[in-house]
Amino acid sequence: MKKLILSATVLFLMSSKVVACSWYDPDYEYFNLFTQSIIKDKTYLPFLHTLSNRFYGHEHFEIPSENIESWQKFFGNNLSYVETQTLVEKIPMNDLNSFKKGNSGNTILSKLGSYQKYAEAIDYLIEAKYLEPFMRINYVESPDSFYFTPEQNDKNATKLDYAKTVSALTSLYNAAKNPEIKLRYGYQLVRFNHYTRNYEASTQAFKKYVKPLQLKTAPYFLALDQLAGAQRGLKMTGEANWNFFQVFKNSKSRKESAFISMQLTDSASFNNLLKRAQTPEDKNMAYFLLGYEDYSNPILMMEKMYDNDPNSEILKVLAARSVNELERSYLPIYFNAPTKGNSKANSADQKTSDTVKDKVEISEVSFWQKIKNFFNNLFSSNKNESSPKGSGQSDDQLLNNPNRIPFYTQNQVYGSDDKSANFINDFENLTSKIKEKSADEFWQITDAYLSFLKKDYEKSKETLDQIKTTNPEYLTQINRMKMLNDIVSQPEINSGFEDHLMKDYKDFFAVKVPKKETDSLAENYGYDEYSQPSTNDFLRDILANRYFIQGDDAKSFLMNNQLSDLRYNPNLDLTKKLEVFCNKKDKTNFEKEIIAKNINEVGNPEAFFNVIYGDFAIRSADFASAKKYYEKGEQFSGLPLPEGRYDYATDDYKKYTDASKLYNGFNNISGLIFGHNVWESYQSDAAQSMKAEDFVNQFPQIKSNMTKLELATAVLDLQKIGNGKDEKGAKANQLIGNLLYNTSILGYFRQVFVMDFDNANGGKYYFGTTDSPFQYYYKNYSNNVFIKPDNFDLAVSFYNKALTNSNDHEQKARILFQMASAEQGKYYQYEANNSPEINYDDPDYSKKQEDYMKNMASTKNTKYRTYFAELKKNYVQTQTSKALQTSCSYYDYFMKKN
């Protein structure tokens, strides 16, 4: 199933900001190693950084309501928070009336004692529960509205009798003796008038019934929220914003709604808030809102907040958001290679371009780090044996390698055309100042983390070691950071350090149990549930990167992939290194328990590797070597096969009745692999698309159904026959040419030597330069497009031998057409590797594109139509040529051209 979606997933995974798919979540695109939620005031959690939702963390926490806490206190803390919430929000009005009459059996109400003890409160709750279903503003559809909004609930405040409701609430307000209950009736009067759009009456109700009580408890801010809404209805924007601002500042559970209600659409709105703000706390709150809304670079706002109050809690929120913003650029879940082709650079004397140096922050090995490394090596039992000869690079060379992750990568700002800004140096300077004036260890932790992102691990460690705290969240973050510094600062991952990983950090490398697929897209298309990246994943990326730059390719591959992933893009050099690692007898515990766990699902590994070697050999026309490898690969378990295939003719998915007769990577290869195309249709059965050569019965070596070993044996026999200069030798060479063409990217049997089970389109069938695209590690190996390009000249060389030794004009015409087809493949490769770099916004785009097309057409006709030209010149009268004109439209076009 993975193969069927490969082309789409390649585009998705190679893009850092893709938002078209409903299951895409930008908060899953970085490793989240700094826990934002360690801020002490949890009421500000919704305003931490997130790109997935309007506010942060709704799936993780619920902020306690100060209204429920106020009721809890009112009832003398006889009820728990949950019980109080049930009483206020869920217990039916009938139960309260029964309690009032003395016959309720409700267990929560029984804890309050008698009705008389809390009579005013129970009466208020009865009235509130009566009103609550109607307490919403009536929605009025705009006559110009494009969409029709169906009525979801016909109950709203206008459904109540206005005069009777106001009279009842006023009477109850006047009768109440307890100021807290009186305040709640006042809140109901303000709210009711607001929701009936009697905005002026709502503001008067606040002045008359709420303000005189001079209580700034939870009901007061509920009423203030409603007052601000009424002021918004009266177009009193400045007053409304200020009152919503007060709710935002003082309410715990209504910060989100107050923030949304504020209309801070321009600098004037913020300036009005700042003018009215008298205290440092108010000013910092206003600066926070400005920094929250305009988030390209938050340092300016943080500087102003620091000047007002370095101990401000809201300043920590903006700082946590800033760390998270930087994390998204320093710790992406995938580092894209910036250049085309093979960018792998792990040689000791690699020279780095100035451009790369400017982008990558390079760390020197500190004096203490060198001492630590010395003792690690001194007491290591295996010294530097993680690879047969070690990396051959010094600590300085390894640490200064420009491909050493993590480093800053500029990303597209989510939902914008802007690029992310790297403000880490200014941020570090600010945190250094704040931690000197603030007693909260948060700033030391932040400072240490910024040093970690900048690769100044020694400074980060020193800062962490100085922190004294008992805060459990802080301690968790500190311990994680100490571990990260320890691992990420290690120049080379040798056997001694692997022993250290197993001893001290083994739990971080535990394999996660896959979550159950719940997403419908995942179920239909084979995606695993898009799970949150973890510290485990980050450490695996780090080690995969370290192994990569020190030359331990096999271990780098297996840190991020399973061995079975190799079949999606077989790579000869990597295969050899993986075979060496798999056969290694003296693996360290880390290699055995962590890395080798990913040697999976390939059956006999030796057979698996030898089939890959055989495939590469036969594609290179080294048939003798191919036979030797296939002899060692006979125990190959085969590729995992699908349950069925899509039938384009019937537009239906058909299940296979007997999969044992299908090609599985080694068995069931049709003898038509030596034939030629009748027509080009990859979806049709082989018998419809392919035809055996008329003379194939002269070669009994070719069976109708073969294994790869039988195929290699047959080709070797054909090669020997082809050494002859006679007609049979010509035919043998033609068959070999057919085999090489038919198993190329253009051939019907193109899957046979690339570890695929059918010829359906996918990542392997790519004409461009396909060297390894990996520069930092082998992560997402199966979702990258690369494989050794076809050498069409090999097929042409065998066809040339056939052409030279054949005296049959009909056969020569067929051979020349096959050679022309191979030459077409060479052109496609040339075209793919010479695509124009023209921007769509270039004012001369059309002309440049036209010039490019003319140049490509000229090149094609002068350099890649050699055999078509010879066919037209010397063989136009053959029956083969005439038949080809009816079956190949392009050939017909070429033959009719002047």
Side-chain angles (χ1 to χ4, degrees):
M1 181 62 74
K2 182 181 289 187
K3 176 179 181 292
L4 299 179
I5 58 168
L6 186 56
S7 296
T9 54
V10 167
L11 294 175
F12 167 73
L13 289 167
M14 300 309 291
S15 171
S16 62
K17 294 294 177 189
V18 182
V19 295
C21 299
S22 61
W23 48 267
Y24 167 78
D25 188 339
D27 280 355
Y28 285 58
E29 284 214 326
Y30 69 105
F31 284 105
N32 202 15
L33 300 181
F34 184 90
T35 306
Q36 292 186 88
S37 58
I38 64 172
I39 59 172
K40 288 180 179 177
D41 190 341
K42 305 303 183 186
T43 64
Y44 290 109
L45 289 178
F47 297 90
L48 295 174
H49 197 24
T50 177
L51 296 177
S52 299
N53 301 297
R54 183 64 178 88
F55 295 101
Y56 173 85
H58 285 282
E59 68 277 20
H60 301 304
F61 60 84
E62 181 180 347
I63 295 175
S65 166
E66 61 269 36
N67 181 46
I68 301 300
E69 291 176 336
S70 176
W71 277 116
Q72 191 178 7
K73 181 180 178 182
F74 185 91
F75 291 123
N77 292 315
N78 292 319
L79 302 178
S80 67
Y81 178 89
V82 174
E83 289 173 329
T84 308
Q85 186 178 34
T86 302
L87 169 61
V88 174
E89 298 178 356
K90 298 178 182 178
I91 288 181
M93 186 170 58
N94 290 339
D95 282 15
L96 294 180
N97 280 317
S98 297
F99 179 66
K100 184 174 181 178
K101 295 174 183 178
N103 55 10
S104 172
N106 187 288
T107 56
I108 292 177
L109 291 172
S110 66
K111 289 186 178 183
L112 297 178
S114 64
Y115 158 76
Q116 287 72 22
K117 186 175 180 180
Y118 299 109
E120 284 192 346
I122 299 302
D123 287 344
Y124 169 79
L125 287 173
I126 290 172
E127 180 67 15
K129 286 178 183 289
Y130 168 73
L131 293 173
E132 193 59 34
F134 299 93
M135 286 302 101
R136 56 180 54 85
I137 203 162
N138 62 315
Y139 176 73
V140 179
E141 185 86 50
S142 168
D144 299 323
S145 177
F146 183 78
Y147 295 103
F148 170 71
T149 304
E151 190 70 42
Q152 297 296 321
N153 188 337
D154 62 353
K155 288 185 178 181
N156 62 69
T158 61
K159 299 296 183 180
L160 294 172
D161 186 293
Y162 177 80
K164 287 183 179 180
T165 304
V166 170
S167 176
L169 287 172
T170 304
S171 177
L172 289 167
Y173 175 90
N174 292 327
K177 303 299 182 185
N178 189 297
E180 189 78 13
I181 300 302
K182 190 179 285 285
L183 179 60
R184 290 185 180 278
Y185 282 121
Y187 153 66
Q188 294 288 359
L189 281 162
V190 177
R191 180 168 71 152
F192 179 65
N193 279 292
H194 173 207
Y195 286 165
T196 55
R197 300 184 188 273
N198 290 288
Y199 300 133
E200 183 60 38
S202 179
T203 62
Q204 293 304 316
F206 186 87
K207 293 177 183 177
K208 184 175 181 179
Y209 300 113
V210 176
K211 195 172 182 180
L213 296 175
Q214 296 184 342
L215 288 174
K216 295 291 183 72
T217 54
Y220 171 83
F221 291 105
L222 290 174
L224 189 65
D225 193 32
Q226 295 296 325
L227 169 65
Q231 291 171 329
R232 175 64 39 74
L234 293 170
K235 310 298 182 186
M236 300 168 62
T237 304
E239 291 297 320
N241 280 344
W242 178 251
N243 286 323
F244 281 129
F245 180 72
Q246 295 302 311
V247 175
F248 176 84
K249 185 180 74 169
N250 292 284
S251 172
K252 293 193 298 184
S253 61
R254 298 193 64 77
K255 290 187 185 296
E256 297 173 38
S257 64
F259 175 81
I260 292 172
S261 297
M262 278 186 275
Q263 292 184 354
L264 305 176
T265 56
D266 51 40
S267 58
S269 301
F270 285 103
N271 289 333
N272 287 335
L273 281 183
L274 285 172
K275 286 178 183 178
R276 300 186 67 163
Q278 298 299 313
T279 66
E281 182 185 9
D282 282 355
K283 291 182 183 295
N284 271 5
M285 201 69 67
Y287 282 130
F288 168 79
L289 293 174
L290 180 58
Y292 184 87
E293 285 293 284
D294 181 17
Y295 205 68
S296 57
N297 188 335
I299 302 302
L300 178 61
M301 290 301 104
M302 291 176 66
E303 290 276 8
K304 292 179 180 294
M305 294 170 73
Y306 164 75
D307 291 339
N308 278 325
D309 180 10
N311 291 300
S312 170
E313 199 65 30
I314 199 73
L315 177 56
K316 300 185 188 77
V317 180
L318 206 54
R321 287 174 56 87
S322 302
V323 173
N324 188 268
E325 177 67 18
L326 287 170
E327 266 196 328
R328 293 168 188 265
S329 292
Y330 276 93
L331 305 175
I333 58 172
Y334 188 78
F335 283 87
N336 294 314
T339 56
K340 295 180 180 179
N342 189 353
S343 303
K344 182 175 179 180
N346 56 7
S347 61
D349 59 349
Q350 179 198 5
K351 294 184 178 179
T352 310
S353 68
D354 292 337
T355 304
V356 175
K357 284 182 179 178
D358 287 340
K359 291 184 177 180
V360 180
E361 297 180 33
I362 296 176
S363 301
E364 296 293 338
V365 186
S366 70
F367 173 73
W368 294 109
Q369 183 66 54
K370 288 179 178 178
I371 292 178
K372 175 185 172 183
N373 296 338
F374 170 76
F375 281 105
N376 275 346
N377 291 329
L378 182 64
F379 295 108
S380 167
S381 60
N382 297 314
K383 295 283 191 330
N384 191 24
E385 296 174 358
S386 64
S387 59
K389 297 180 181 179
S391 69
Q393 302 178 61
S394 69
D395 286 353
D396 286 347
Q397 289 170 327
L398 289 166
L399 284 171
N400 291 345
N401 191 300
N403 296 329
R404 186 179 174 91
I405 64 173
F407 52 79
Y408 180 79
T409 57
Q410 191 176 57
N411 296 320
Q412 192 79 25
V413 176
Y414 181 71
S416 167
D417 293 331
D418 298 331
K419 294 285 187 178
S420 59
N422 188 8
F423 50 83
I424 194 168
N425 290 329
D426 292 338
F427 192 14
E428 187 178 42
N429 291 335
L430 179 59
T431 56
S432 296
K433 291 193 300 183
I434 298 175
K435 73 177 186 178
E436 297 302 321
K437 291 191 176 183
S438 174
D440 195 327
E441 299 88 354
F442 171 88
W443 295 108
Q444 294 171 281
I445 295 172
T446 302
D447 193 50
Y449 192 75
L450 294 177
S451 297
F452 164 75
L453 291 181
K454 292 181 68 176
K455 299 186 179 182
D456 193 345
Y457 306 119
E458 197 63 38
K459 180 183 176 185
S460 180
K461 180 180 182 300
E462 289 174 0
T463 303
L464 293 170
D465 288 342
Q466 294 170 6
I467 300 175
K468 308 297 180 185
T469 183
T470 57
N471 183 310
E473 289 185 303
Y474 286 0
L475 288 172
T476 298
Q477 181 67 40
I478 290 167
N479 290 333
R480 181 194 298 133
M481 289 168 61
K482 286 182 177 180
M483 178 270 297
L484 293 173
N485 276 319
D486 183 20
I487 295 177
V488 177
S489 64
Q490 180 69 14
E492 181 173 21
I493 310 303
N494 54 32
S495 58
F497 194 74
E498 288 176 344
D499 290 341
H500 170 49
L501 293 175
M502 287 300 290
K503 178 182 177 183
D504 297 310
Y505 306 126
K506 181 179 178 180
D507 290 345
F508 282 102
F509 295 95
V511 177
K512 294 184 296 183
V513 177
K515 296 180 181 179
K516 182 180 179 182
E517 291 180 349
T518 56
D519 189 276
S520 60
L521 191 142
E523 292 173 356
N524 291 333
Y525 295 100
Y527 287 103
D528 292 333
E529 189 176 9
Y530 203 30
S531 58
Q532 180 78 46
S534 66
T535 303
N536 171 312
D537 297 319
F538 173 75
L539 293 177
R540 284 182 173 274
D541 278 11
I542 290 296
L543 293 178
N545 170 254
R546 303 305 189 257
Y547 287 135
F548 188 92
I549 62 179
Q550 69 193 41
D552 289 332
D553 291 64
K555 291 160 72 170
S556 177
F557 176 88
L558 291 171
M559 285 304 300
N560 290 135
N561 307 278
Q562 295 180 326
L563 181 59
S564 56
D565 290 331
L566 181 64
R567 64 175 176 257
Y568 291 102
N569 288 294
N571 176 289
L572 190 58
D573 291 338
L574 181 58
T575 302
K576 292 175 181 177
K577 293 177 180 180
L578 283 165
E579 184 180 28
V580 170
F581 177 78
C582 289
N583 292 332
K584 182 181 177 183
K585 301 300 182 184
D586 55 341
K587 292 184 179 72
T588 66
N589 287 333
F590 186 81
E591 290 173 334
K592 286 188 288 189
E593 296 188 34
I594 306 301
I595 301 177
K597 286 287 180 68
N598 280 338
I599 300 174
N600 76 319
E601 295 181 4
V602 296
N604 182 321
E606 182 182 2
F608 174 71
F609 293 131
N610 277 289
V611 170
I612 293 176
Y613 296 148
D615 290 346
F616 274 95
I618 209 165
R619 291 183 70 200
S620 301
D622 184 357
F623 307 126
S625 294
K627 181 183 178 184
K628 291 178 182 177
Y629 287 126
Y630 288 146
E631 285 172 341
K632 298 176 184 178
E634 283 193 283
Q635 299 304 312
F636 177 54
S637 60
L639 299 171
L641 299 176
E643 293 182 354
R645 72 177 184 89
Y646 183 77
D647 190 328
Y648 288 87
T650 61
D651 195 26
D652 191 22
Y653 184 80
K654 293 185 177 181
K655 286 194 172 185
Y656 296 124
T657 56
D658 185 4
S660 66
K661 292 182 170 56
L662 300 175
Y663 172 68
N664 72 345
F666 193 83
N667 301 311
N668 299 319
I669 301 171
S670 170
L672 289 171
I673 200 169
F674 290 99
H676 62 263
N677 278 91
V678 177
W679 68 320
E680 191 170 293
S681 173
Y682 296 109
Q683 291 80 35
S684 302
D685 289 338
Q688 292 177 290
S689 291
M690 302 296 295
K691 180 181 179 182
E693 300 295 350
D694 294 338
F695 52 78
V696 73
N697 58 356
Q698 299 175 33
F699 300 93
Q701 299 92 337
I702 298 175
K703 301 177 182 178
S704 61
N705 185 291
M706 294 172 284
T707 66
K708 281 187 172 178
L709 177 57
E710 290 171 329
L711 177 64
T713 302
V715 179
L716 267 176
D717 285 347
L718 291 175
Q719 191 175 31
K720 292 175 184 176
I721 297 170
N723 290 330
K725 306 299 182 182
D726 55 5
E727 195 71 34
K728 189 169 184 179
K731 293 176 179 177
N733 281 307
Q734 182 180 346
L735 292 173
I736 298 174
N738 285 356
L739 171 71
L740 293 174
Y741 176 80
N742 289 334
T743 54
S744 74
I745 186 173
L746 293 175
Y748 181 86
F749 294 96
R750 56 187 180 176
Q751 75 275 17
V752 173
F753 301 130
V754 292
M755 273 279 173
D756 209 343
F757 57 82
D758 67 14
N759 62 21
N761 203 8
K764 297 178 178 61
Y765 311 123
Y766 178 67
F767 280 104
T769 297
T770 47
D771 295 330
S772 170
F774 301 106
Q775 182 169 345
Y776 306 109
Y777 42 28
Y778 289 106
K779 190 173 184 178
N780 293 337
Y781 186 87
S782 61
N783 291 320
N784 281 273
V785 177
F786 75 99
I787 197 168
K788 182 180 179 181
D790 292 305
N791 185 351
F792 287 100
D793 284 331
L794 286 174
V796 170
S797 69
F798 283 99
Y799 283 136
N800 255 324
K801 293 177 184 177
L803 191 67
T804 301
N805 294 320
S806 176
N807 295 313
D808 185 332
H809 264 48
E810 296 294 338
Q811 186 182 357
K812 282 177 175 284
R814 165 60 63 188
I815 294 169
L816 280 168
F817 181 79
Q818 292 297 107
M819 294 173 77
S821 299
E823 194 174 39
Q824 180 76 0
K826 292 177 65 176
Y827 169 73
Y828 288 145
Q829 290 175 336
Y830 170 82
E831 184 182 53
N833 293 321
N834 289 276
S835 58
E837 295 183 1
I838 310 172
N839 293 326
Y840 286 110
D841 56 358
D842 189 324
D844 296 325
Y845 173 81
S846 296
K847 185 177 185 310
K848 289 180 179 179
Q849 184 69 17
E850 183 181 351
D851 290 343
Y852 166 76
M853 296 301 292
K854 287 181 179 178
N855 180 59
M856 295 305 290
S858 174
T859 301
K860 178 167 57 176
N861 289 322
T862 57
K863 295 184 178 180
Y864 296 97
R865 289 295 175 262
T866 309
Y867 305 112
F868 268 152
E870 188 174 347
L871 257 175
K872 182 176 182 179
K873 180 180 179 182
N874 298 317
Y875 298 92
V876 69
Q877 297 304 321
T878 62
Q879 291 301 314
T880 301
S881 178
K882 293 176 181 178
L884 286 170
Q885 283 182 257
T886 63
S887 62
C888 178
S889 58
Y890 185 84
Y891 179 63
D892 182 54
Y893 166 77
F894 184 86
M895 296 298 284
K896 292 177 180 177
K897 273 184 63 177
N898 293 328

